[in-house]
Amino acid sequence: MTELTDVRSLGDRIEQLLDGLQATGDRCARERAEELLRLVTELYGAGLARVMEVVDAEAPELARRLAADDLVGSLLLVHDLHPDSVRPFLAAHGGDVELLAIDDHAGAVQLRLLGSCDGCPSSAVTLQHAVQHAIVEAAPEIVRIDVDTPAPDTSVSIALGRKPAVAYDPATGCGAVGP
């Protein structure tokens, strides 16, 4: 069993435990377990970020080697620390991506692209292709990527204000009386 397979087994076990908590119907216990998992993940992510800052400053080649390692690279991706992450590219174009769902059995992910650079009609397509490429590179087991696109904004802006007073014209009977 390879190191990466062991890590995947650990991830699967975490999901089984969370599913088991969900099945008990004890909402409070499930929420506490999820919060604990989130906090531990944030703690380790902050530590990993600091390690990568030091390594990158002292030995940039080592940072690239760590990012190329399957296990370390996947952790860097999870914590948005990977040097080849698509997020900096998206941010440079005024965008971001949100993971909505993962279907392990179908090998599918559902994403939502957020924002895009103004004045560039192909930017949404460019961002979508960048995200799809990053997913295929990082997770070749994903065979379907569904991208939710927000409905175009068809609202019309209306400025509200006071109607200007119209002087009353006794000859036609039109207009307002008074100011």
Side-chain angles (χ1 to χ4, degrees), residues 6-139:
D6 289 341
V7 172
R8 286 190 178 137
S9 296
L10 289 172
D12 290 343
R13 182 65 182 139
I14 290 169
E15 283 187 40
Q16 289 171 354
L17 291 169
L18 289 172
D19 289 345
L21 278 171
Q22 177 77 25
T24 66
D26 187 343
R27 185 177 60 88
C28 185
R30 186 190 80 246
E31 287 174 358
R32 285 183 178 187
E34 288 173 350
E35 181 182 12
L36 176 63
L37 183 59
R38 182 183 53 77
L39 292 172
V40 169
T41 301
E42 286 179 21
L43 177 66
Y44 282 111
L48 185 57
R50 183 68 185 122
V51 167
M52 290 305 291
E53 283 176 21
V54 170
V55 169
D56 195 41
E58 299 294 323
E61 178 55 36
L62 178 57
R64 284 188 289 280
R65 285 183 34 221
L66 287 170
D69 180 83
D70 285 340
L71 175 58
V72 177
S74 65
L75 289 173
L76 293 173
L77 282 170
V78 165
H79 294 286
D80 203 19
L81 299 170
H82 199 286
D84 296 332
S85 171
V86 73
R87 273 219 153 97
F89 173 76
L90 294 175
H93 289 271
D96 200 358
V97 64
E98 176 183 14
L99 177 64
L100 300 175
I102 300 174
D103 183 341
D104 291 330
H105 301 293
V109 295
Q110 184 179 8
L111 309 170
R112 177 178 297 131
L113 294 177
L114 307 169
S116 64
C117 60
D118 291 331
C120 181
S122 64
S123 65
V125 172
T126 302
L127 297 180
Q128 183 172 341
H129 285 295
V131 170
Q132 289 174 335
H133 178 73
I135 290 171
V136 168
E137 289 291 313

Side-chain angles (χ1 to χ4, degrees), residues 155-169:
S155 61
V156 177
S157 297
I158 300 174
L160 298 176
R162 291 188 148 247
K163 182 177 177 181
V166 177
Y168 178 71
D169 182 357

